């Protein structure tokens, strides 16, 4: 089989990406045993601190093995003509471009999720279990995977089909139509995520009347935040880790609290967490994030439209016949360094927003309960309290705990 230059470019991208990420993991791991900053000294006792170090170490080793496995697999798949084999198999079923693309991606996705299954199983039932986080049963695990798969088939298949229809009917301008469609899907999911997607996986119940609800309502009224929907989600059926999040906007906006959060935090601490979430809304972070992701999607689609017609992009993954679906895979691989960069920018922005939301909670409510809630949540999830700055820069969407505490106490 002939291999073009881009084929080798893809191999280099994959290896360099792996090495950079492993180096960051290594830098981060070297700091697992550092002494804690004084602000964080009261979070763990000695036993728990040792446990948190072991947890980090376990996850680090697991990451090295699973990332290495997926790199070796991808490279072998490329080198030994895996894409060509799948492409030929696909062509034995049909030669219509849209069904061909659906079958091609279906086979690739099915294969990669089957290969990923043992890792996912090990993470949940061995690592998380060993550290006391796991509450997922085998049957929840299986049904989660099945539902996730069906959702991917329906949403992914639908989007891919429309995408190709636009391409076939509008030619080089297809990216604008595709962009409008993706924008519609993103907006729709943002608005109805809690109403349509979450119920597939979790039970949500409105927060019961009582002192917690009235403290939350008092706070919301004080800051002029119209809040009709406060829901409690049964996160405890999967994990002991706790969380709270904000979704939707306009009339659809709602705050969702994990039942684990309600059990672990005091009333004041919950209101403080909520004040932080309201801060994201009031400071327009939700809208800005939405706009930024729409712009990056538009940019990606525009660049895609410039290259999709070049047969070299298809041939770069080692297939013999150029096609739309092969070009999509080739493009995704070649574009990945650029998406790493947009990812860095998004994380940088997100960390800024976290400080702003903390500041909002501090000025409209109180800093002390937010500090203590962040400490409790970090302790419960055995968080890494001493991450390496380079690792934070690349991977963290939230600032490290010590920086948030210093900012809140300032
Ligand atoms: Zn936040």
């Amino acid at each position: 089989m002939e291999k073009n230059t881009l084929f080798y470019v893809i191999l280099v991208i994959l290896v360099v990406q792996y090495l950079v990420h492993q180096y960051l993991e290594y830098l981060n791991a070297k700091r697992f045993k550092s002494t804690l900053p004084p602000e964080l000294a009261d979070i763990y006792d000695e036993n728990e601190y040792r446990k948190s170090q072991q947890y980090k170490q376990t996850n680090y080793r697991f990451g090295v093995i699973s990332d290495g496995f997926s790199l070796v697999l991808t490279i072998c798949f490329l080198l030994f003509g895996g894409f060509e084999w799948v492409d030929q198999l696909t062509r034995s079923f049909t030669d219509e471009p849209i069904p061909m693309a659906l079958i091609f991606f279906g086979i690739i996705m099915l294969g990669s999720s089957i290969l990923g299954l043992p890792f996912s199983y090990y993470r949940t039932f061995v690592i998380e279990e060993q550290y006391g986080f796991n509450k997922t049963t085998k049957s929840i695990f299986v049904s989660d995977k099945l539902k996730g798969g069906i959702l991917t088939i329906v949403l992914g298949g639908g989007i891919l089909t429309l995408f190709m229809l636009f391409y076939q009917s509008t030619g080089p301008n297809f990216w604008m139509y595709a962009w409008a469609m993706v924008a519609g899907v993103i907006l729709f999911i943002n608005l109805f995520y809690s109403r349509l997607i979450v119920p597939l996986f979790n039970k949500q119940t409105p927060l019961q009347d009582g002192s917690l609800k009235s403290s939350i309502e008092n706070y919301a009224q004080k800051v002029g935040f119209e809040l009709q929907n406060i829901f409690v989600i049964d996160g405890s059926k999967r994990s002991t880790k706790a969380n709270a999040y904000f979704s939707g906007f306009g009339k659809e906006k709602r705050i969702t609290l994990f039942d684990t959060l309600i059990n672990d935090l005091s009333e004041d601490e919950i209101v403080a967490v909520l004040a932080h979430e309201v801060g994201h809304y009031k400071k327009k972070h939700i809208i800005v994030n939405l706009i930024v992701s729409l712009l990056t999607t538009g940019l990606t689609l525009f660049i895609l439209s410039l290259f999709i017609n070049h047969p070299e992009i298809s041939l770069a993954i080692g297939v013999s016949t150029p096609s739309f679906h092969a070009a999509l895979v080739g493009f995704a691989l070649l574009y990945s360094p650029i998406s790493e960069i947009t990812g860095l920018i998004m994380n940088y922005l997100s960390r800024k927003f976290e400080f702003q939301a903390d500041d909002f909670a501090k000025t409209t409510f109180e800093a002390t309960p937010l500090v203590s809630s962040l400490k409790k949540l970090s302790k419960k999830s055995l968080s890494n309290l001493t991450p390496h700055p380079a690792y934070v820069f690349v991977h963290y969407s939230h600032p490290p705990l010590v920086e948030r505490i210093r900012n809140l106490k300032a």
Side-chain angles (χ1 to χ4, degrees), residues 244 273 276-277 279-280 285 350 353-355 357-358 397-399 404:
V273 169
H276 169 99
E277 297 300 326
H280 280 308
H285 298 160
S350 167
F353 286 172
E354 290 306 317
F355 282 129
D358 281 350
S397 61
H398 287 57
R404 290 181 73 179

Side-chain angles (χ1 to χ4, degrees), residues 359-380:
D359 289 342
F360 184 87
K362 181 164 80 171
T363 45
T364 61
F365 191 63
E366 247 185 291
T368 321
L370 188 53
V371 170
S372 65
S373 70
L374 290 174
K375 283 181 171 177
K376 275 190 189 172
L377 294 174
S378 300
K379 173 185 177 155
K380 272 221 76 181

